[in-house]
Amino acid sequence: MVTAVTSFGRSGLSDWLLQRISAVILLAYFICIGGTLLGGVDYASWKAMFELTSMRIFSLLAVLSLAAHAWIGMWAVLTDYLTERLMGNKGNVLRIAFQILCSLVIFVYVVWTVQILWGY
Amino acid sequence: MMLNVSIYRYNPETDSEPRMQDFQVDTGGKDLMVLDVLELIKSQDTTVVYRRSCREGVCGSDGLNMNGKNGLACITPLSETVKNNKLVIRPLPGLPVIRDLVVDMSLFYAQYEKVEPYLQNDTPAPAIERLQSPEDREKLDGLYECILCACCSTSCPSFWWNPDRFIGPAGLLQAYRFLADSRDTATNERLAKLDDPFSVFRCHGIQNCVNVCPKGLNPTRAIGHIRNMLLTRAT
Ligand code: SF4
Ligand code: SF4
Ligand code: FES
């Protein structure tokens, strides 16, 4: 078995399953938001919607799904193209650097979302 | 009618880099197989190197890239591949070239070896043979026919990038061939060895493998079955 400590769930199956589940959650969220926008919103109704605890939980779930989805996706891309096989040791250095960058960006987005959702 | 053929030439011992060499081949107006054309070229220039054996699509030696598509030279008629009277022949992509059209298949075989492509059964052997119902035998159709020509794996981008970690369509088709065999008792051990992020899950369902298999086999479907078995086992 090939070991992979930086993959999300460390198992191919769990990554694969999570990738599908998070995609479904994101789709549902965007349909919900899209539907609301198409139905017409103003500031007051938009604000009221995001004051509902259910909407905040749904939004948080969507952002966490996005975070997992992005991590799994970026990990797959990086381990395809930035590898020791393709570019020697430079591949390892670049890949780890990009992974750290990705996790930082994802982390900031998650914290920022929580702040937006519960901060106003 | 003279056919324009362009052949990939490379001898790592003497050439600093690969080059394409052009030939004019008289096909006598016949719809020859690509392998026939290679034989005609060899009579013009004996230094052109390629593999072939059975010349009828059973041995899997002459997997080549013809006008951009992998296939067996011996059963690919010119009418199927030639466009604008031009035929470009390259070695299978993604594997190291030994010479001209001959590639080093070690990585490909190493992946095949990983799936332990032989029947495993630790129950006492019966006096004559291990029986199988016709229905169970049918489950192996579309799997056992693989001739290991490597046309599929070398057309798979996931295999190009990770030939050392992704088993590839050919190996996975054989993995499923033994997972699906009612006489094999190592199913769980086999599945456990496939549950990492690379061996099976590097397949993104691009289906290049299905598109090129000269035997008309469907590795993508077999990979889907393996995924379902892993899922059932884990949930
Ligand atoms: S699955 Fe088809 S293309 Fe792949 S090695 Fe077997 S016969 Fe060749
Ligand atoms: S379906 Fe999977 S194995 Fe087949 S070419 Fe695509 S990625 Fe490779
Ligand atoms: S020479 Fe045997 S498959 Fe083509």
Side-chain angles (χ1 to χ4, degrees), chain A residues 1-2 4 7 10-13 16-17 75-76 79-81 83 85-86, chain B residues 107 161-165 192 195-199 201-202 227 230-231 234:
Chain A
M1 178 133 89
V2 189
S7 87
R10 282 170 200 80
S11 128
L13 183 69
W16 178 81
L17 198 61
W75 186 82
T79 49
D80 263 355
Y81 301 116
T83 60
R85 242 194 102 71
L86 289 186
Chain B
L107 277 165
W161 312 137
N162 286 296
D164 47 347
R165 297 188 283 188
D195 185 29
D196 62 89
F198 283 98
S199 303
F201 289 93
R202 262 310 134 121
R227 224 164 19 215
L230 283 166
L231 197 61

PDB file of all heavy atoms in Angstrom, chain A residues 1-2 4 7 10-13 16-17 75-76 79-81 83 85-86, chain B residues 107 161-165 192 195-199 201-202 227 230-231 234:
ATOM      1  N   MET A   1       0.844  -1.198   0.000  1.00  0.00           N
ATOM      2  CA  MET A   1       0.000   0.000   0.000  1.00  0.00           C
ATOM      3  C   MET A   1       0.875   1.242   0.000  1.00  0.00           C
ATOM      4  O   MET A   1       1.898   1.303   0.661  1.00  0.00           O
ATOM      5  CB  MET A   1      -0.916  -0.021   1.236  1.00  0.00           C
ATOM      6  CG  MET A   1      -1.783   1.186   1.332  1.00  0.00           C
ATOM      7  SD  MET A   1      -3.487   0.831   1.686  1.00  0.00           S
ATOM      8  CE  MET A   1      -3.586   0.824   3.426  1.00  0.00           C
ATOM      9  N   VAL A   2       0.460   2.226  -0.773  1.00  0.00           N
ATOM     10  CA  VAL A   2       1.208   3.475  -0.860  1.00  0.00           C
ATOM     11  C   VAL A   2       0.819   4.356   0.329  1.00  0.00           C
ATOM     12  O   VAL A   2      -0.355   4.583   0.568  1.00  0.00           O
ATOM     13  CB  VAL A   2       0.845   4.223  -2.166  1.00  0.00           C
ATOM     14  CG1 VAL A   2       1.765   5.405  -2.367  1.00  0.00           C
ATOM     15  CG2 VAL A   2       0.926   3.272  -3.342  1.00  0.00           C
ATOM     16  N   ALA A   4       0.501   7.929   2.358  1.00  0.00           N
ATOM     17  CA  ALA A   4       0.322   9.326   1.981  1.00  0.00           C
ATOM     18  C   ALA A   4      -0.128  10.107   3.209  1.00  0.00           C
ATOM     19  O   ALA A   4      -1.306  10.193   3.499  1.00  0.00           O
ATOM     20  CB  ALA A   4      -0.699   9.439   0.875  1.00  0.00           C
ATOM     21  N   SER A   7      -2.507  13.413   2.686  1.00  0.00           N
ATOM     22  CA  SER A   7      -3.842  13.386   2.101  1.00  0.00           C
ATOM     23  C   SER A   7      -4.860  13.611   3.220  1.00  0.00           C
ATOM     24  O   SER A   7      -4.559  13.416   4.387  1.00  0.00           O
ATOM     25  CB  SER A   7      -4.097  12.057   1.395  1.00  0.00           C
ATOM     26  OG  SER A   7      -4.586  11.095   2.299  1.00  0.00           O
ATOM     27  N   ARG A  10      -6.205  10.107   4.594  1.00  0.00           N
ATOM     28  CA  ARG A  10      -5.165   9.077   4.525  1.00  0.00           C
ATOM     29  C   ARG A  10      -5.644   7.787   3.866  1.00  0.00           C
ATOM     30  O   ARG A  10      -4.876   6.869   3.680  1.00  0.00           O
ATOM     31  CB  ARG A  10      -4.557   8.796   5.893  1.00  0.00           C
ATOM     32  CG  ARG A  10      -3.576   9.881   6.262  1.00  0.00           C
ATOM     33  CD  ARG A  10      -3.120   9.800   7.697  1.00  0.00           C
ATOM     34  NE  ARG A  10      -2.580  11.091   8.080  1.00  0.00           N
ATOM     35  CZ  ARG A  10      -3.309  12.133   8.422  1.00  0.00           C
ATOM     36  NH1 ARG A  10      -4.616  12.026   8.442  1.00  0.00           N
ATOM     37  NH2 ARG A  10      -2.768  13.268   8.721  1.00  0.00           N
ATOM     38  N   SER A  11      -6.917   7.712   3.555  1.00  0.00           N
ATOM     39  CA  SER A  11      -7.391   6.553   2.804  1.00  0.00           C
ATOM     40  C   SER A  11      -8.004   7.070   1.510  1.00  0.00           C
ATOM     41  O   SER A  11      -8.659   8.105   1.492  1.00  0.00           O
ATOM     42  CB  SER A  11      -8.416   5.764   3.618  1.00  0.00           C
ATOM     43  OG  SER A  11      -9.600   5.543   2.873  1.00  0.00           O
ATOM     44  N   GLY A  12      -7.749   6.357   0.430  1.00  0.00           N
ATOM     45  CA  GLY A  12      -8.273   6.793  -0.855  1.00  0.00           C
ATOM     46  C   GLY A  12      -9.786   6.804  -0.849  1.00  0.00           C
ATOM     47  O   GLY A  12     -10.429   7.706  -1.378  1.00  0.00           O
ATOM     48  N   LEU A  13     -10.358   5.776  -0.206  1.00  0.00           N
ATOM     49  CA  LEU A  13     -11.814   5.670  -0.175  1.00  0.00           C
ATOM     50  C   LEU A  13     -12.441   6.834   0.582  1.00  0.00           C
ATOM     51  O   LEU A  13     -13.399   7.446   0.115  1.00  0.00           O
ATOM     52  CB  LEU A  13     -12.214   4.338   0.463  1.00  0.00           C
ATOM     53  CG  LEU A  13     -13.713   4.065   0.495  1.00  0.00           C
ATOM     54  CD1 LEU A  13     -14.227   3.829  -0.921  1.00  0.00           C
ATOM     55  CD2 LEU A  13     -14.031   2.888   1.375  1.00  0.00           C
ATOM     56  N   TRP A  16     -12.220   9.965  -1.400  1.00  0.00           N
ATOM     57  CA  TRP A  16     -13.123   9.892  -2.550  1.00  0.00           C
ATOM     58  C   TRP A  16     -14.563  10.145  -2.125  1.00  0.00           C
ATOM     59  O   TRP A  16     -15.294  10.927  -2.727  1.00  0.00           O
ATOM     60  CB  TRP A  16     -12.985   8.505  -3.190  1.00  0.00           C
ATOM     61  CG  TRP A  16     -13.882   8.277  -4.356  1.00  0.00           C
ATOM     62  CD1 TRP A  16     -13.667   8.686  -5.638  1.00  0.00           C
ATOM     63  CD2 TRP A  16     -15.136   7.595  -4.355  1.00  0.00           C
ATOM     64  NE1 TRP A  16     -14.707   8.301  -6.430  1.00  0.00           N
ATOM     65  CE2 TRP A  16     -15.618   7.634  -5.678  1.00  0.00           C
ATOM     66  CE3 TRP A  16     -15.890   6.959  -3.372  1.00  0.00           C
ATOM     67  CZ2 TRP A  16     -16.830   7.059  -6.044  1.00  0.00           C
ATOM     68  CZ3 TRP A  16     -17.093   6.394  -3.739  1.00  0.00           C
ATOM     69  CH2 TRP A  16     -17.553   6.444  -5.065  1.00  0.00           C
ATOM     70  N   LEU A  17     -14.957   9.506  -1.018  1.00  0.00           N
ATOM     71  CA  LEU A  17     -16.327   9.647  -0.522  1.00  0.00           C
ATOM     72  C   LEU A  17     -16.584  11.084  -0.076  1.00  0.00           C
ATOM     73  O   LEU A  17     -17.604  11.694  -0.417  1.00  0.00           O
ATOM     74  CB  LEU A  17     -16.527   8.682   0.652  1.00  0.00           C
ATOM     75  CG  LEU A  17     -17.963   8.353   1.028  1.00  0.00           C
ATOM     76  CD1 LEU A  17     -18.657   7.696  -0.155  1.00  0.00           C
ATOM     77  CD2 LEU A  17     -17.983   7.419   2.231  1.00  0.00           C
ATOM     78  N   TRP A  75      -4.617  18.560  -3.287  1.00  0.00           N
ATOM     79  CA  TRP A  75      -3.657  17.512  -2.966  1.00  0.00           C
ATOM     80  C   TRP A  75      -3.453  16.593  -4.169  1.00  0.00           C
ATOM     81  O   TRP A  75      -2.329  16.226  -4.513  1.00  0.00           O
ATOM     82  CB  TRP A  75      -4.147  16.715  -1.748  1.00  0.00           C
ATOM     83  CG  TRP A  75      -3.153  15.718  -1.273  1.00  0.00           C
ATOM     84  CD1 TRP A  75      -2.084  15.967  -0.467  1.00  0.00           C
ATOM     85  CD2 TRP A  75      -3.103  14.327  -1.608  1.00  0.00           C
ATOM     86  NE1 TRP A  75      -1.372  14.814  -0.269  1.00  0.00           N
ATOM     87  CE2 TRP A  75      -1.981  13.795  -0.955  1.00  0.00           C
ATOM     88  CE3 TRP A  75      -3.901  13.485  -2.385  1.00  0.00           C
ATOM     89  CZ2 TRP A  75      -1.615  12.455  -1.053  1.00  0.00           C
ATOM     90  CZ3 TRP A  75      -3.540  12.149  -2.483  1.00  0.00           C
ATOM     91  CH2 TRP A  75      -2.408  11.648  -1.816  1.00  0.00           C
ATOM     92  N   ALA A  76      -4.571  16.255  -4.838  1.00  0.00           N
ATOM     93  CA  ALA A  76      -4.481  15.381  -6.011  1.00  0.00           C
ATOM     94  C   ALA A  76      -3.698  16.059  -7.131  1.00  0.00           C
ATOM     95  O   ALA A  76      -2.849  15.448  -7.780  1.00  0.00           O
ATOM     96  CB  ALA A  76      -5.880  14.996  -6.487  1.00  0.00           C
ATOM     97  N   THR A  79       0.085  16.328  -6.145  1.00  0.00           N
ATOM     98  CA  THR A  79       0.818  15.057  -6.179  1.00  0.00           C
ATOM     99  C   THR A  79       0.860  14.463  -7.590  1.00  0.00           C
ATOM    100  O   THR A  79       1.512  13.447  -7.819  1.00  0.00           O
ATOM    101  CB  THR A  79       0.211  14.019  -5.209  1.00  0.00           C
ATOM    102  OG1 THR A  79      -1.197  13.967  -5.426  1.00  0.00           O
ATOM    103  CG2 THR A  79       0.491  14.394  -3.767  1.00  0.00           C
ATOM    104  N   ASP A  80       0.162  15.096  -8.541  1.00  0.00           N
ATOM    105  CA  ASP A  80       0.323  14.706  -9.945  1.00  0.00           C
ATOM    106  C   ASP A  80       1.506  15.445 -10.562  1.00  0.00           C
ATOM    107  O   ASP A  80       2.348  14.848 -11.223  1.00  0.00           O
ATOM    108  CB  ASP A  80      -0.940  15.066 -10.747  1.00  0.00           C
ATOM    109  CG  ASP A  80      -1.883  13.878 -10.906  1.00  0.00           C
ATOM    110  OD1 ASP A  80      -1.519  12.775 -10.477  1.00  0.00           O
ATOM    111  OD2 ASP A  80      -2.974  14.070 -11.466  1.00  0.00           O
ATOM    112  N   TYR A  81       1.532  16.751 -10.361  1.00  0.00           N
ATOM    113  CA  TYR A  81       2.461  17.577 -11.141  1.00  0.00           C
ATOM    114  C   TYR A  81       3.712  18.024 -10.403  1.00  0.00           C
ATOM    115  O   TYR A  81       4.749  18.229 -11.017  1.00  0.00           O
ATOM    116  CB  TYR A  81       1.732  18.803 -11.698  1.00  0.00           C
ATOM    117  CG  TYR A  81       0.579  18.422 -12.581  1.00  0.00           C
ATOM    118  CD1 TYR A  81      -0.732  18.727 -12.247  1.00  0.00           C
ATOM    119  CD2 TYR A  81       0.795  17.716 -13.762  1.00  0.00           C
ATOM    120  CE1 TYR A  81      -1.797  18.353 -13.061  1.00  0.00           C
ATOM    121  CE2 TYR A  81      -0.252  17.336 -14.578  1.00  0.00           C
ATOM    122  CZ  TYR A  81      -1.549  17.666 -14.225  1.00  0.00           C
ATOM    123  OH  TYR A  81      -2.586  17.284 -15.020  1.00  0.00           O
ATOM    124  N   THR A  83       6.082  16.626  -8.315  1.00  0.00           N
ATOM    125  CA  THR A  83       6.567  15.408  -7.671  1.00  0.00           C
ATOM    126  C   THR A  83       8.054  15.221  -7.905  1.00  0.00           C
ATOM    127  O   THR A  83       8.641  15.813  -8.807  1.00  0.00           O
ATOM    128  CB  THR A  83       5.843  14.163  -8.224  1.00  0.00           C
ATOM    129  OG1 THR A  83       6.107  14.102  -9.623  1.00  0.00           O
ATOM    130  CG2 THR A  83       4.357  14.224  -7.982  1.00  0.00           C
ATOM    131  N   ARG A  85       9.334  12.595  -9.008  1.00  0.00           N
ATOM    132  CA  ARG A  85       9.462  11.922 -10.302  1.00  0.00           C
ATOM    133  C   ARG A  85       9.645  12.897 -11.445  1.00  0.00           C
ATOM    134  O   ARG A  85      10.457  12.691 -12.332  1.00  0.00           O
ATOM    135  CB  ARG A  85       8.182  11.131 -10.569  1.00  0.00           C
ATOM    136  CG  ARG A  85       8.344   9.674 -10.705  1.00  0.00           C
ATOM    137  CD  ARG A  85       7.106   9.049 -11.286  1.00  0.00           C
ATOM    138  NE  ARG A  85       7.327   8.761 -12.691  1.00  0.00           N
ATOM    139  CZ  ARG A  85       8.130   7.805 -13.117  1.00  0.00           C
ATOM    140  NH1 ARG A  85       8.770   7.054 -12.271  1.00  0.00           N
ATOM    141  NH2 ARG A  85       8.286   7.602 -14.412  1.00  0.00           N
ATOM    142  N   LEU A  86       8.848  13.976 -11.412  1.00  0.00           N
ATOM    143  CA  LEU A  86       8.853  14.905 -12.538  1.00  0.00           C
ATOM    144  C   LEU A  86       9.952  15.958 -12.435  1.00  0.00           C
ATOM    145  O   LEU A  86      10.470  16.411 -13.437  1.00  0.00           O
ATOM    146  CB  LEU A  86       7.491  15.603 -12.673  1.00  0.00           C
ATOM    147  CG  LEU A  86       6.323  14.749 -13.171  1.00  0.00           C
ATOM    148  CD1 LEU A  86       5.099  15.606 -13.387  1.00  0.00           C
ATOM    149  CD2 LEU A  86       6.670  14.029 -14.464  1.00  0.00           C
TER     150      LEU A  86
ATOM    151  N   LEU B 107       7.986  -0.697 -15.237  1.00  0.00           N
ATOM    152  CA  LEU B 107       7.022  -0.044 -14.345  1.00  0.00           C
ATOM    153  C   LEU B 107       5.632  -0.652 -14.502  1.00  0.00           C
ATOM    154  O   LEU B 107       4.912  -0.868 -13.530  1.00  0.00           O
ATOM    155  CB  LEU B 107       6.944   1.453 -14.663  1.00  0.00           C
ATOM    156  CG  LEU B 107       8.013   2.351 -14.043  1.00  0.00           C
ATOM    157  CD1 LEU B 107       8.016   3.705 -14.734  1.00  0.00           C
ATOM    158  CD2 LEU B 107       7.771   2.511 -12.560  1.00  0.00           C
ATOM    159  N   TRP B 161       1.690  10.380 -14.723  1.00  0.00           N
ATOM    160  CA  TRP B 161       2.259  11.169 -13.619  1.00  0.00           C
ATOM    161  C   TRP B 161       2.697  10.289 -12.462  1.00  0.00           C
ATOM    162  O   TRP B 161       3.667  10.604 -11.786  1.00  0.00           O
ATOM    163  CB  TRP B 161       1.258  12.216 -13.106  1.00  0.00           C
ATOM    164  CG  TRP B 161       0.611  13.027 -14.193  1.00  0.00           C
ATOM    165  CD1 TRP B 161      -0.710  13.361 -14.281  1.00  0.00           C
ATOM    166  CD2 TRP B 161       1.239  13.597 -15.352  1.00  0.00           C
ATOM    167  NE1 TRP B 161      -0.940  14.079 -15.429  1.00  0.00           N
ATOM    168  CE2 TRP B 161       0.226  14.243 -16.101  1.00  0.00           C
ATOM    169  CE3 TRP B 161       2.543  13.613 -15.845  1.00  0.00           C
ATOM    170  CZ2 TRP B 161       0.494  14.904 -17.305  1.00  0.00           C
ATOM    171  CZ3 TRP B 161       2.804  14.269 -17.046  1.00  0.00           C
ATOM    172  CH2 TRP B 161       1.794  14.908 -17.747  1.00  0.00           C
ATOM    173  N   ASN B 162       1.987   9.195 -12.220  1.00  0.00           N
ATOM    174  CA  ASN B 162       2.329   8.359 -11.067  1.00  0.00           C
ATOM    175  C   ASN B 162       2.438   6.870 -11.414  1.00  0.00           C
ATOM    176  O   ASN B 162       1.759   6.042 -10.818  1.00  0.00           O
ATOM    177  CB  ASN B 162       1.281   8.549  -9.958  1.00  0.00           C
ATOM    178  CG  ASN B 162       1.425   9.875  -9.242  1.00  0.00           C
ATOM    179  OD1 ASN B 162       2.433  10.123  -8.586  1.00  0.00           O
ATOM    180  ND2 ASN B 162       0.423  10.745  -9.384  1.00  0.00           N
ATOM    181  N   PRO B 163       3.293   6.521 -12.375  1.00  0.00           N
ATOM    182  CA  PRO B 163       3.368   5.111 -12.778  1.00  0.00           C
ATOM    183  C   PRO B 163       3.916   4.210 -11.677  1.00  0.00           C
ATOM    184  O   PRO B 163       3.799   2.994 -11.751  1.00  0.00           O
ATOM    185  CB  PRO B 163       4.325   5.126 -13.979  1.00  0.00           C
ATOM    186  CG  PRO B 163       5.166   6.325 -13.773  1.00  0.00           C
ATOM    187  CD  PRO B 163       4.295   7.345 -13.071  1.00  0.00           C
ATOM    188  N   ASP B 164       4.512   4.832 -10.647  1.00  0.00           N
ATOM    189  CA  ASP B 164       5.050   4.029  -9.546  1.00  0.00           C
ATOM    190  C   ASP B 164       4.036   3.858  -8.426  1.00  0.00           C
ATOM    191  O   ASP B 164       4.199   3.008  -7.554  1.00  0.00           O
ATOM    192  CB  ASP B 164       6.332   4.682  -9.005  1.00  0.00           C
ATOM    193  CG  ASP B 164       6.161   6.174  -8.767  1.00  0.00           C
ATOM    194  OD1 ASP B 164       5.140   6.758  -9.240  1.00  0.00           O
ATOM    195  OD2 ASP B 164       7.023   6.776  -8.109  1.00  0.00           O
ATOM    196  N   ARG B 165       2.959   4.657  -8.432  1.00  0.00           N
ATOM    197  CA  ARG B 165       2.012   4.578  -7.311  1.00  0.00           C
ATOM    198  C   ARG B 165       0.583   4.244  -7.733  1.00  0.00           C
ATOM    199  O   ARG B 165      -0.191   3.696  -6.958  1.00  0.00           O
ATOM    200  CB  ARG B 165       2.017   5.901  -6.530  1.00  0.00           C
ATOM    201  CG  ARG B 165       3.377   6.181  -5.898  1.00  0.00           C
ATOM    202  CD  ARG B 165       3.329   7.355  -4.988  1.00  0.00           C
ATOM    203  NE  ARG B 165       3.317   8.619  -5.720  1.00  0.00           N
ATOM    204  CZ  ARG B 165       3.429   9.799  -5.129  1.00  0.00           C
ATOM    205  NH1 ARG B 165       3.539   9.875  -3.817  1.00  0.00           N
ATOM    206  NH2 ARG B 165       3.406  10.901  -5.853  1.00  0.00           N
ATOM    207  N   ALA B 192      -7.766  -4.618   1.019  1.00  0.00           N
ATOM    208  CA  ALA B 192      -7.019  -3.816   1.995  1.00  0.00           C
ATOM    209  C   ALA B 192      -5.798  -3.165   1.341  1.00  0.00           C
ATOM    210  O   ALA B 192      -5.434  -2.041   1.664  1.00  0.00           O
ATOM    211  CB  ALA B 192      -6.597  -4.691   3.164  1.00  0.00           C
ATOM    212  N   ASP B 195      -6.670   0.296  -0.741  1.00  0.00           N
ATOM    213  CA  ASP B 195      -7.423   1.403  -0.144  1.00  0.00           C
ATOM    214  C   ASP B 195      -6.603   2.668   0.116  1.00  0.00           C
ATOM    215  O   ASP B 195      -6.934   3.460   0.966  1.00  0.00           O
ATOM    216  CB  ASP B 195      -8.083   0.920   1.162  1.00  0.00           C
ATOM    217  CG  ASP B 195      -8.975   1.984   1.760  1.00  0.00           C
ATOM    218  OD1 ASP B 195      -9.521   2.788   0.997  1.00  0.00           O
ATOM    219  OD2 ASP B 195      -9.088   2.038   2.997  1.00  0.00           O
ATOM    220  N   ASP B 196      -5.500   2.875  -0.574  1.00  0.00           N
ATOM    221  CA  ASP B 196      -4.734   4.110  -0.360  1.00  0.00           C
ATOM    222  C   ASP B 196      -5.143   5.150  -1.407  1.00  0.00           C
ATOM    223  O   ASP B 196      -5.900   4.843  -2.316  1.00  0.00           O
ATOM    224  CB  ASP B 196      -3.245   3.788  -0.466  1.00  0.00           C
ATOM    225  CG  ASP B 196      -2.903   3.269  -1.840  1.00  0.00           C
ATOM    226  OD1 ASP B 196      -2.592   4.077  -2.719  1.00  0.00           O
ATOM    227  OD2 ASP B 196      -3.011   2.038  -2.043  1.00  0.00           O
ATOM    228  N   PRO B 197      -4.679   6.393  -1.284  1.00  0.00           N
ATOM    229  CA  PRO B 197      -5.136   7.424  -2.227  1.00  0.00           C
ATOM    230  C   PRO B 197      -4.592   7.269  -3.649  1.00  0.00           C
ATOM    231  O   PRO B 197      -5.012   7.998  -4.542  1.00  0.00           O
ATOM    232  CB  PRO B 197      -4.604   8.724  -1.611  1.00  0.00           C
ATOM    233  CG  PRO B 197      -4.288   8.408  -0.193  1.00  0.00           C
ATOM    234  CD  PRO B 197      -3.894   6.965  -0.168  1.00  0.00           C
ATOM    235  N   PHE B 198      -3.657   6.353  -3.898  1.00  0.00           N
ATOM    236  CA  PHE B 198      -3.065   6.270  -5.232  1.00  0.00           C
ATOM    237  C   PHE B 198      -3.479   5.040  -6.039  1.00  0.00           C
ATOM    238  O   PHE B 198      -3.901   5.168  -7.187  1.00  0.00           O
ATOM    239  CB  PHE B 198      -1.535   6.295  -5.140  1.00  0.00           C
ATOM    240  CG  PHE B 198      -0.992   7.670  -4.892  1.00  0.00           C
ATOM    241  CD1 PHE B 198      -0.647   8.066  -3.613  1.00  0.00           C
ATOM    242  CD2 PHE B 198      -0.836   8.567  -5.939  1.00  0.00           C
ATOM    243  CE1 PHE B 198      -0.160   9.335  -3.381  1.00  0.00           C
ATOM    244  CE2 PHE B 198      -0.346   9.841  -5.717  1.00  0.00           C
ATOM    245  CZ  PHE B 198      -0.003  10.230  -4.431  1.00  0.00           C
ATOM    246  N   SER B 199      -3.357   3.857  -5.453  1.00  0.00           N
ATOM    247  CA  SER B 199      -3.468   2.604  -6.209  1.00  0.00           C
ATOM    248  C   SER B 199      -4.695   2.550  -7.112  1.00  0.00           C
ATOM    249  O   SER B 199      -4.595   2.246  -8.296  1.00  0.00           O
ATOM    250  CB  SER B 199      -3.482   1.416  -5.253  1.00  0.00           C
ATOM    251  OG  SER B 199      -2.323   1.425  -4.459  1.00  0.00           O
ATOM    252  N   PHE B 201      -7.533   5.066  -6.507  1.00  0.00           N
ATOM    253  CA  PHE B 201      -8.258   6.335  -6.523  1.00  0.00           C
ATOM    254  C   PHE B 201      -7.604   7.425  -7.362  1.00  0.00           C
ATOM    255  O   PHE B 201      -8.131   8.521  -7.454  1.00  0.00           O
ATOM    256  CB  PHE B 201      -8.519   6.796  -5.094  1.00  0.00           C
ATOM    257  CG  PHE B 201      -9.547   5.927  -4.417  1.00  0.00           C
ATOM    258  CD1 PHE B 201      -9.175   4.840  -3.653  1.00  0.00           C
ATOM    259  CD2 PHE B 201     -10.895   6.161  -4.636  1.00  0.00           C
ATOM    260  CE1 PHE B 201     -10.116   4.018  -3.078  1.00  0.00           C
ATOM    261  CE2 PHE B 201     -11.852   5.344  -4.069  1.00  0.00           C
ATOM    262  CZ  PHE B 201     -11.467   4.266  -3.279  1.00  0.00           C
ATOM    263  N   ARG B 202      -6.474   7.154  -7.994  1.00  0.00           N
ATOM    264  CA  ARG B 202      -5.930   8.128  -8.940  1.00  0.00           C
ATOM    265  C   ARG B 202      -6.710   8.091 -10.254  1.00  0.00           C
ATOM    266  O   ARG B 202      -6.516   8.931 -11.132  1.00  0.00           O
ATOM    267  CB  ARG B 202      -4.456   7.858  -9.207  1.00  0.00           C
ATOM    268  CG  ARG B 202      -3.534   8.736  -8.381  1.00  0.00           C
ATOM    269  CD  ARG B 202      -3.921  10.162  -8.492  1.00  0.00           C
ATOM    270  NE  ARG B 202      -3.944  10.785  -7.190  1.00  0.00           N
ATOM    271  CZ  ARG B 202      -3.203  11.830  -6.862  1.00  0.00           C
ATOM    272  NH1 ARG B 202      -2.416  12.382  -7.737  1.00  0.00           N
ATOM    273  NH2 ARG B 202      -3.302  12.327  -5.656  1.00  0.00           N
ATOM    274  N   ARG B 227     -14.117   0.047  -6.598  1.00  0.00           N
ATOM    275  CA  ARG B 227     -14.503   1.130  -5.697  1.00  0.00           C
ATOM    276  C   ARG B 227     -15.746   0.744  -4.900  1.00  0.00           C
ATOM    277  O   ARG B 227     -15.810   0.953  -3.689  1.00  0.00           O
ATOM    278  CB  ARG B 227     -14.754   2.388  -6.512  1.00  0.00           C
ATOM    279  CG  ARG B 227     -14.124   3.581  -5.866  1.00  0.00           C
ATOM    280  CD  ARG B 227     -13.966   4.790  -6.738  1.00  0.00           C
ATOM    281  NE  ARG B 227     -14.789   4.829  -7.919  1.00  0.00           N
ATOM    282  CZ  ARG B 227     -14.384   5.364  -9.055  1.00  0.00           C
ATOM    283  NH1 ARG B 227     -13.181   5.866  -9.158  1.00  0.00           N
ATOM    284  NH2 ARG B 227     -15.171   5.418 -10.100  1.00  0.00           N
ATOM    285  N   LEU B 230     -14.808  -1.716  -2.231  1.00  0.00           N
ATOM    286  CA  LEU B 230     -14.136  -1.042  -1.121  1.00  0.00           C
ATOM    287  C   LEU B 230     -15.160  -0.329  -0.244  1.00  0.00           C
ATOM    288  O   LEU B 230     -15.084  -0.345   0.981  1.00  0.00           O
ATOM    289  CB  LEU B 230     -13.112  -0.031  -1.653  1.00  0.00           C
ATOM    290  CG  LEU B 230     -11.799  -0.618  -2.169  1.00  0.00           C
ATOM    291  CD1 LEU B 230     -11.024   0.414  -2.976  1.00  0.00           C
ATOM    292  CD2 LEU B 230     -10.941  -1.107  -1.015  1.00  0.00           C
ATOM    293  N   LEU B 231     -16.137   0.280  -0.900  1.00  0.00           N
ATOM    294  CA  LEU B 231     -17.162   1.035  -0.193  1.00  0.00           C
ATOM    295  C   LEU B 231     -18.025   0.105   0.657  1.00  0.00           C
ATOM    296  O   LEU B 231     -18.282   0.378   1.836  1.00  0.00           O
ATOM    297  CB  LEU B 231     -18.027   1.766  -1.224  1.00  0.00           C
ATOM    298  CG  LEU B 231     -18.896   2.913  -0.748  1.00  0.00           C
ATOM    299  CD1 LEU B 231     -18.021   4.011  -0.155  1.00  0.00           C
ATOM    300  CD2 LEU B 231     -19.702   3.477  -1.902  1.00  0.00           C
ATOM    301  N   ALA B 234     -16.196  -1.095   3.689  1.00  0.00           N
ATOM    302  CA  ALA B 234     -15.840  -0.115   4.716  1.00  0.00           C
ATOM    303  C   ALA B 234     -17.047   0.500   5.415  1.00  0.00           C
ATOM    304  O   ALA B 234     -16.903   1.159   6.437  1.00  0.00           O
ATOM    305  CB  ALA B 234     -14.994   0.987   4.096  1.00  0.00           C
TER     306      ALA B 234
END
